[in-house]
Amino acid sequence: EGEDVDCSRCHGAQAKLYNGNVKVKGVDASPDYMKEGEVECTGCHDLKSGKPQNVVVVKEKCVSCHEDESYGQMALEWEKEIQELEDQIAVQVEEATELVKRMRRLGRDTGSLEAMLESAKLSYSLVSKGRGIHNYELSKELLDKARKELEKILESKS
């Protein structure tokens, strides 16, 4: 692809997260630090390399700009942390979904729980689809919000 390609045409979820263009109640969505520094997609992604554009490859670009090996390691650590949080929340989403279904079958009012569940799913989805590394701070905030909502739902079973 040429340098003038609009990555967001195919990678809208990543662009949304990177630019901080998410609307989730209770979350102060800000652009990623790199976006604030006016770094475009090709600043991190070498589209001409022919390599897969994962964090292992992209970290090489971190080091080339920042001239410090720790930046590459930091990117790997961020990716790992976000992935671990996503994995935990995915399990909680399934548990909360099943709990709400059971409560509904028992005739309980689940309106507020369903709203919290949808909010948690939205936050999780924004990070999962947008690849959390595209905005580490916002991703952590969204996942933390999802975790808190899911914990409230799961606490309601008692």
Side-chain angles (χ1 to χ4, degrees), residues 16 20 32-33 61 70-71 92 96 129 138 158:
K16 209 173 186 180
D32 185 75
Y33 295 119
K61 293 279 257 185
S70 68
Y71 277 87
Q92 288 180 311
K129 290 179 181 175
L138 178 55
S158 50

Side-chain angles (χ1 to χ4, degrees), residues 57-132:
V57 172
V58 169
K59 78 179 181 75
E60 296 169 11
K61 293 279 257 185
C62 300
V63 174
S64 71
C65 286
H66 294 280
E67 299 175 1
D68 183 345
E69 286 293 323
S70 68
Y71 277 87
Q73 186 60 36
M74 181 177 63
L76 292 172
E77 289 170 6
W78 284 358
E79 176 78 359
K80 181 180 176 190
E81 180 183 358
I82 295 295
Q83 188 59 59
E84 287 173 355
L85 290 170
E86 280 185 65
D87 292 347
Q88 292 168 7
I89 289 169
V91 171
Q92 288 180 311
V93 165
E94 291 303 317
E95 291 173 349
T97 299
E98 289 305 312
L99 176 63
V100 169
K101 283 181 187 175
R102 278 196 309 272
M103 293 171 81
R104 193 179 322 115
R105 280 194 302 267
L106 293 171
R108 294 194 43 199
D109 179 16
T110 58
S112 63
L113 297 177
E114 288 182 50
M116 274 193 288
L117 181 58
E118 287 309 309
S119 176
K121 285 180 179 180
L122 172 62
S123 294
Y124 169 80
S125 177
L126 288 166
V127 175
S128 180
K129 290 179 181 175
R131 303 266 321 190

